[in-house]
Amino acid sequence: MNQISAILEAKRNILKHQILSIRKESKLKVAVITFSAIAIWLGIFLGLYEGFNWLLTFGSRAGIEVNFGELLMARMFMILMSAVFLFLIFSNILIAFFTLYKAEEIFFLVQTPIPFQRLFLVRFVECIAFSSWSVAFLGVPLILAYGLSLKAPIFFYIASIIFFIPFIIIPASWGNIITQFLVLIFPKIKLRTMILFGILAVIFLFWYLTTMLKGTRINEDTILPVFLSATSRVQSPIFPPYWFSEGVLKSKDSQFSEVLFWFMLLMSNALFFTFLGSVISKWIFYPGFSGLQGSGQRRIKLPNKGILGRLDTLLSFIPYPYKPLVIKDVRMFWRDATQWSQFIIFFGIMAIYIANLRNTTKYFEQEMWRSFVACMNIASLSLILATLTSRFIFPLISLEGHRFWIIGLAPITLRQILWQKFWLSVMTSAPFTVTLAILSGYMLQLAPLYYSMTIFSIILMNFGLSGLAVGLGALYPSFEEDNPARIVSGLGGTLNLLLSIFYITVVVTAQTIILQWRVLEQFTRPGYFWFALAFVIILILTLTGIAVAVPMFLGLKNLQSLEY
């Protein structure tokens, strides 16, 4: 058994034991997660299948020989694959940083007589597994719905599976190569330069999106030319998602020679970039690893110097014993580059969302659509907030790790620790999300009722989603894991995300129903609407209280019963 197979065999045994350890988990938690995963999978499949069938029916009425709906489906497929490809690059950059440089076993493996090229290949396989499982989970219903709606042959499904392997290898190799260069370069760059570069990148992204999206007012006369012009940008012969899309779509018509050409092109590039990544790791992995380990010792931070040094003064309004804990959490977050870099990515997503609000159609002038768009705006903001709390707040308790016993011996109760995490989440997320709600409502020119409901809902969402994240993070801690991404991807993190989505769905659905009823004049008397709206507000307040109280209570009970 060679070195690579020995490490992979150890990883396989670890994965096997982790899967078997599910039997020790709460049966209710496993049942909820399993049921929710199946429901989400079926919901995605049915939604896509009905949508594709509608497009085909709509396209057949266009009066041309080619089904216009099939053309739209092909373009949409290419756009989706391009988005997935870019997502996999960013995901692999973040995962590769922890897998190659921050994992506990990497300090042992570096000292073993394993060549860095082989070490890179082992960790590379692990990166692919962590970054691509969700794409596979969500991609299966897409392929099934697409193939069944077009009555594709069995070769289409086989080709989709075969093409998927090199398709995920290319962004993984790119992400790992980029990570190695970033680790080699960034420790040598001053913090001010990095911050300035990040600010300029966000400004440029916002400027580019606003320039690209403004101009043509989309209506029934211009939507087709605008759509075809925009989607033509993903049809580049040097873009790997185009190779994947062309190969899979050609398999639908059983064009074997075309399928073989695109597959060989995709696979040859996947093998080349994997080989290139291993060769690069031979020369720059260890210098980057060594420089990263010593970067924290280059400068001594004096008290009251820099932002971190002034935290004690800046946060003087926070009473003891919460103040030292807040300072510790902020410093841990700031010192982890992968944490705040992902936070910057969320700002980019918000910039895209705000820039796209400028594009409206004439139908938005109708009251029914204004009401519906207002509710969808609440859903969009809430999902962004749920992503933030799931990614950054849920792991807070687990990241205390084996040091948690020190906090347990401190003159502070576990109840105070838990509520400190809760209020830290609320006070850090609320300024961003509420400001975004105010700005988006202003750009959409919402009526006072819809505007106030948007701000009211987002304020409550900060409390409800923070309570779920902190409470479930304490109920299902993972003190053995120091990687936030792996903590979130566990059963507890999955349960937190599913319950957050359920909470958002109930709140948004209740508001949508009551506001649409008002627009459609289902209330015979005006006074009835305000009674119904009051009932919905009380329902949302009650649900938010449950989302905060129950997880926090259960999480506190679990922490009190643990031995440290």
Side-chain angles (χ1 to χ4, degrees), residues 208-219 222 226 230 352-365 373 440 443-444:
Y208 173 76
L209 291 171
T210 53
T211 304
M212 182 182 66
L213 294 175
K214 73 180 181 180
T216 304
R217 184 178 176 86
I218 300 176
N219 52 48
T222 61
V226 171
I352 295 174
Y353 178 74
I354 292 296
N356 201 37
L357 290 178
R358 295 178 179 271
N359 287 332
T360 59
T361 68
K362 67 177 185 179
Y363 297 109
F364 187 66
E365 299 173 0
V373 169
S440 61
M443 295 185 68
L444 290 171

Side-chain angles (χ1 to χ4, degrees), residues 432-473:
F432 298 107
T433 54
V434 174
T435 301
L436 188 60
I438 295 173
L439 183 60
S440 61
Y442 172 77
M443 295 185 68
L444 290 171
Q445 298 179 353
L446 297 178
L449 175 62
Y450 306 145
Y451 206 162
S452 58
M453 287 299 296
T454 298
I455 299 175
F456 169 76
S457 301
I458 296 303
I459 291 175
L460 289 184
M461 289 287 184
N462 279 278
F463 288 91
L465 294 175
S466 296
L468 283 170
V470 175
L472 293 176

Side-chain angles (χ1 to χ4, degrees), residues 283-437:
W283 302 105
I284 70 172
F285 169 73
Y286 187 75
F289 177 82
S290 178
L292 184 65
Q293 306 310 314
S295 60
Q297 306 298 326
R298 295 178 183 177
R299 293 184 300 174
I300 299 177
K301 294 290 186 180
L302 299 176
N304 297 323
K305 297 293 183 180
I307 297 177
L308 295 182
R310 294 190 177 95
L311 281 179
D312 188 73
T313 303
L314 295 175
L315 302 179
S316 58
F317 62 91
I318 301 178
Y320 281 92
Y322 304 106
K323 179 180 173 181
L325 292 174
V326 172
I327 294 176
K328 177 187 69 66
D329 289 336
V330 173
R331 286 178 173 174
M332 289 182 62
F333 174 82
W334 182 255
R335 289 167 180 169
D336 190 347
T338 57
Q339 292 276 67
W340 54 260
S341 61
Q342 293 178 64
F343 202 71
I344 293 176
I345 292 175
F346 280 111
F347 274 109
I349 296 175
M350 292 180 182
I352 295 174
Y353 178 74
I354 292 296
N356 201 37
L357 290 178
R358 295 178 179 271
N359 287 332
T360 59
T361 68
K362 67 177 185 179
Y363 297 109
F364 187 66
E365 299 173 0
Q366 301 176 11
E367 188 68 17
M368 183 187 72
W369 288 111
R370 294 179 68 86
S371 171
F372 183 76
V373 169
C375 294
M376 292 303 99
N377 182 48
I378 296 174
S380 301
L381 298 175
S382 302
L383 289 173
I384 293 175
L385 177 59
T387 307
L388 288 171
T389 55
S390 297
R391 180 60 185 85
F392 300 110
I393 304 303
F394 177 83
L396 281 180
I397 295 293
S398 298
L399 288 177
E400 300 292 349
H402 298 291
R403 303 177 298 273
F404 197 82
W405 66 272
I406 300 177
I407 299 179
L409 295 176
I412 183 174
T413 64
L414 292 175
R415 183 187 301 275
Q416 291 175 315
I417 294 174
L418 210 58
W419 284 105
Q420 176 265 325
K421 307 292 185 187
F422 172 81
W423 286 111
L424 176 65
S425 173
V426 173
M427 299 307 295
T428 53
S429 62
F432 298 107
T433 54
V434 174
T435 301
L436 188 60

